[in-house]
C-alpha cells in the first residue's frame, strides 16, 4: 500500500500515463519542477525522464526517501545528491525495449530507403515527371551499436535476420557473437550505420564528434535513439550539410522539445520527437513498473529496478 498523499508527481505525463497513475495512486502534482511546492509531507517523487529534477527541489523536501522515474534513462536525476542523502531511485528498464527497438529499425529503413521522401514524392505528384531516386540495401552492411546494454543487445538480436554484420562498443567487451571495438572512432570506421543506444553520462557526452563522423564517412549513416547529449550537434550539422556522412535519423536532441532549427532545413536527415517509448502498451508498462517500485519501497521490499548509484 502506498500511503495517501505521500507521493509527489513532478512533471507532466501524457494522458495514458496519467490515467494509470491516477488509477493507482493519489498524488499531489508539481507540473513544473520550478513551480510552487504543494503542501504535504511527501516521502517519494514520481517523475519521468524528460523532467529534470533539480537538486534545489530535493533540498526543499528533506523528507524524500525515494525517486521513481518513468524511463530507462535517469540522467534527469541529481545522482550525486541522491547518493549523498541515501535517497533510493528506480527507473524502468526492459519494458520499453520492444518500442525503442522497433523505432530504431523503422528509422533504419526509412533512412536507407528514404521512405519519408518517397511518400512526399508521390504526394507532390513529382512521380509523374521522373522516377524516385535509387537508394541503398541494408543487407551486407555493417551496423555498429554504441552501447550494448539491454536495448543494444535486444536491437542486435532483432537485426541479425537482416543479413548484416554487427559490431559494438561499450566500456567492456561482452560474451556476444559480434565484433567488439574499444572506442567509438574505430567502430564508426568499421560501420556503415552507427546506432547510438548508450546512456547519457559524462563519459558519453559529445562522444560522436567531428572525428567520429569523419570515420563513419560519406556513405555512413547515424541513428540516435539514446540522448541528444551523446552527439556534438554542431559537428553533426556540419557533417550533414557538407555531406561528409550520408544521413542521420535522430529521435533525441540536445534541446528538447525545441531542437536546433538548422536540422529542420537539411534533407538527408530524419527527425522524430523523442518517441522511442511512445506506444500505449509501453507507456502503460513503464508507468506500472514505476509505481510497482514505489509500492515495493513503501512495503519495505527490495526495489524491482533500482538505479544502482
Ligand atoms: C522517454 C526515454 O524519455 O526511457 C527513456 O529514458 O528516453 C523515453 O522513454 C520517456 O518516455 C519520457 O518519459
Amino acid at each position: 500500500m502506498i500511503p495517501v498523499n505521500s507521493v509527489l508527481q513532478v512533471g507532466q505525463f501524457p494522458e495514458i500515463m496519467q490515467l494509470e497513475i491516477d488509477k493507482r495512486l493519489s498524488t499531489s502534482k508539481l507540473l513544473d519542477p520550478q513551480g510552487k511546492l504543494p503542501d504535504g509531507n511527501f516521502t517519494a517523487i514520481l517523475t519521468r525522464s524528460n523532467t529534470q529534477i533539480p537538486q534545489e527541489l530535493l533540498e526543499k523536501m528533506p523528507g524524500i526517501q525515494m525517486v521513481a522515474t518513468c524511463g530507462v534513462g535517469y540522467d534527469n536525476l541529481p545522482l550525486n545528491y541522491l547518493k549523498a542523502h541515501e535517497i533510493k531511485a528506480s527507473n524502468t528498464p526492459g519494458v520499453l525495449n520492444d518500442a525503442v527497438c522497433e523505432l530504431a529499425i523503422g528509422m533504419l529503413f526509412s533512412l536507407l530507403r528514404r521512405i519519408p521522401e518517397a511518400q512526399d514524392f508521390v504526394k507532390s505528384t513529382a512521380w509523374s515527371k521522373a522516377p524516385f531516386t535509387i537508394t541503398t540495401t541494408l543487407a551486407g552492411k555493417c551496423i555498429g551499436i554504441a552501447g550494448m546494454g539491454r536495448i543494444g543487445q535486444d536491437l542486435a538480436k532483432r537485426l541479425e535476420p537482416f543479413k548484416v554484420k554487427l559490431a559494438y562498443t561499450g566500456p567492456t567487451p561482452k560474451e556476444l557473437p559480434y565484433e567488439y571495438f574499444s572506442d567509438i572512432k574505430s567502430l564508426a570506421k568499421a560501420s556503415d550505420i552507427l546506432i547510438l543506444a548508450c546512456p547519457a553520462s559524462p563519459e558519453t557526452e559529445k562522444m560522436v564528434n567531428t572525428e567520429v563522423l569523419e570515420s563513419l564517412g560519406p556513405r555512413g549513416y547515424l541513428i540516435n535513439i539514446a540522448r541528444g547529449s551523446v552527439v556534438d550537434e554542431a559537428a553533426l550539422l556540419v557533417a550533414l550539410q557538407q555531406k561528409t556522412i550520408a544521413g542521420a535519423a535522430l529521435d533525441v536532441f540536445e534541446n528538447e522539445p525545441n531542437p536546433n532549427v538548422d536540422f529542420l532545413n537539411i534533407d538527408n536527415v530524419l527527425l522524430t520527437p523523442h518517441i522511442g517509448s511512445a506506444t500505449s502498451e509501453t507507456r502503460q508498462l513503464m508507468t506500472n513498473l514505476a509505481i510497482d517500485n514505489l509500492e515495493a519501497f513503501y512495503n519495505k521490499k527490495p526495489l524491482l529496478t533500482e538505479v544502482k548509484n
Side-chain angles (χ1 to χ4, degrees):
M1 267 297 286
I2 302 182
V4 173
N5 282 333
S6 54
V7 178
L8 178 68
Q9 172 186 319
V10 183
Q12 306 212 19
F13 283 68
E15 192 184 4
I16 191 140
M17 300 175 94
Q18 193 64 61
L19 286 171
E20 211 64 31
I21 295 170
D22 294 341
K23 224 187 325 174
R24 290 188 58 187
L25 278 184
S26 88
T27 57
S28 291
K29 297 177 179 52
L30 176 65
L31 299 183
D32 173 3
Q34 317 289 345
K36 188 181 168 319
L37 262 180
D39 291 333
N41 291 321
F42 306 110
T43 38
I45 284 177
L46 173 63
T47 190
R48 60 190 288 245
S49 53
N50 70 344
T51 303
Q52 285 296 328
I53 301 295
Q55 175 171 323
E56 301 75 61
L57 178 65
L58 293 172
E59 282 166 354
K60 283 190 238 159
M61 292 194 292
I64 294 294
Q65 298 162 41
M66 156 87 185
V67 180
T69 187
C70 278
V72 63
Y74 46 82
D75 45 303
N76 58 324
L77 306 182
L79 294 176
N80 291 338
Y81 185 89
L82 297 185
K83 191 173 184 165
H85 292 80
E86 294 180 5
I87 299 171
K88 286 182 183 294
S90 66
N91 63 341
T92 61
V95 294
L96 40 69
N97 289 15
D98 289 339
V100 174
C101 292
E102 286 170 8
L103 180 74
I105 293 169
M107 293 176 114
L108 176 62
F109 286 111
S110 300
L111 198 55
L112 265 63
R113 302 301 301 270
R114 311 191 77 137
I115 296 170
E117 296 104 304
Q119 175 175 250
D120 289 347
F121 194 76
V122 177
K123 286 194 170 174
S124 69
T125 72
W127 191 17
S128 62
K129 292 171 207 102
F132 188 60
T133 185
I134 297 290
T135 61
T136 188
T137 304
L138 177 64
K141 293 200 165 48
C142 175
I143 302 183
I145 301 180
M148 259 302 179
R150 293 182 202 81
I151 293 178
Q153 290 185 44
D154 202 330
L155 182 58
K157 269 244 144 321
R158 287 161 200 251
L159 290 170
E160 281 177 14
F162 291 118
K163 304 188 195 167
V164 290
K165 182 172 177 257
L166 288 152
Y168 70 105
T169 188
T172 48
K174 303 199 168 171
E175 292 273 314
L176 291 168
Y178 318 124
E179 190 174 356
Y180 174 73
F181 290 87
S182 58
D183 67 287
I184 180 108
K185 200 172 143 198
S186 332
L187 178 72
K189 192 149 194 59
S191 304
D192 299 292
I193 300 121
L194 180 62
I195 305 185
L196 308 178
C198 53
S201 69
E203 291 75 41
T204 60
E205 177 142 15
K206 296 202 193 311
M207 179 172 86
V208 177
N209 54 20
T210 303
E211 265 188 291
V212 172
L213 294 165
E214 270 167 11
S215 302
L216 189 58
R219 289 149 76 97
Y221 294 89
L222 177 75
I223 298 180
N224 191 2
I225 49 158
R227 284 288 184 267
S229 64
V230 178
V231 174
D232 178 342
E233 285 190 349
L236 176 59
L237 277 163
V238 172
L240 288 166
Q241 280 154 351
Q242 299 184 352
K243 301 211 177 352
T244 52
I245 66 167
L250 311 171
D251 186 47
V252 285
F253 303 86
E254 269 174 21
N255 190 21
E256 296 179 11
N258 297 300
N260 187 327
V261 288
D262 290 346
F263 281 118
L264 313 185
N265 303 314
I266 294 180
D267 59 5
N268 46 343
V269 81
L270 171 72
L271 310 172
T272 52
H274 200 149
I275 52 170
S277 69
T279 69
S280 54
E281 296 87 346
T282 295
R283 286 292 171 86
Q284 271 172 10
L285 290 169
M286 289 165 72
T287 313
N288 277 317
L289 180 53
I291 299 174
D292 290 346
N293 272 294
L294 287 169
E295 231 158 49
F297 167 74
Y298 284 109
N299 291 333
K300 302 201 177 348
K301 298 227 175 81
L303 302 189
L304 287 94
T305 47
E306 180 164 4
V307 170
K308 300 276 184 248
N309 186 7

